[in-house]
Amino acid sequence: MKLISRSLATTLKIGRNLGSMCEPGDVVCLGGELGAGKTTLAQAIAQGAGVDEDECVNSPTFAILHEYRGILPLYHMDFYRLGSSEDVVALGLEEYIYGDGLALIEWYERAEDVMPESALVVLLSHIDETSREISLHSDDPRWLNKIKELAATCG
């Protein structure tokens, strides 16, 4: 499913709606080139998942993992500085990926082979300065229904 966001407000709406659909154990993988809007979408997903809007949700590029409290625990990870899935395993991050919270992972491609099959993959790409194409894919039937619902409310 592909959604077109022509404004920051629409991207934030998509993220908040997506975050509100997440359940314990969900994994959302965010991909796209630098500056595509992964962290902006992650911030909106966090808000939708109940993280307080005053909480500063920023990219954990250097820390690799930030944990937030919302309706469910949110584990925001950024694998940009990691070399492979071996690094993910060595750092014990699988515990968060396969935990009871929401795992939100930027640059998931660096460790794609440790992602669960039930993960939702969200790819962002530039159309122009304010517009983004947001592609959502999962083999999990539960996500397929949620993607359809998201498209109906934000498409």
Side-chain angles (χ1 to χ4, degrees), residues 24-103:
D26 280 345
V27 177
V28 178
C29 301
L30 301 176
E33 66 267 8
L34 282 170
K38 293 180 294 295
T39 300
T40 298
L41 189 63
Q43 291 165 339
I45 291 170
Q47 287 176 0
V51 174
D52 192 302
E53 288 188 33
D54 293 334
E55 184 84 44
C56 183
V57 175
N58 53 26
S59 179
T61 302
F62 294 101
I64 301 176
L65 168 69
H66 288 160
E67 185 174 344
Y68 302 96
R69 293 285 167 215
I71 296 167
L72 62 155
L74 185 138
Y75 308 114
H76 184 195
M77 293 173 258
D78 186 322
F79 293 170
Y80 183 74
R81 299 202 175 278
L82 302 183
S84 69
S85 57
E86 292 172 5
D87 293 337
V88 170
V89 172
L91 292 168
L93 297 174
E94 284 179 302
E95 176 182 334
Y96 297 96
I97 295 169
Y98 290 91
D100 292 333
L102 167 59

Side-chain angles (χ1 to χ4, degrees), residues 109-127:
E109 304 96 325
R110 310 254 178 180
E112 208 165 347
D113 56 325
V114 298
M115 296 300 119
E117 289 182 22
S118 61
L120 174 65
V121 176
V122 181
L123 302 175
L124 293 100
S125 57
H126 285 96
I127 295 174

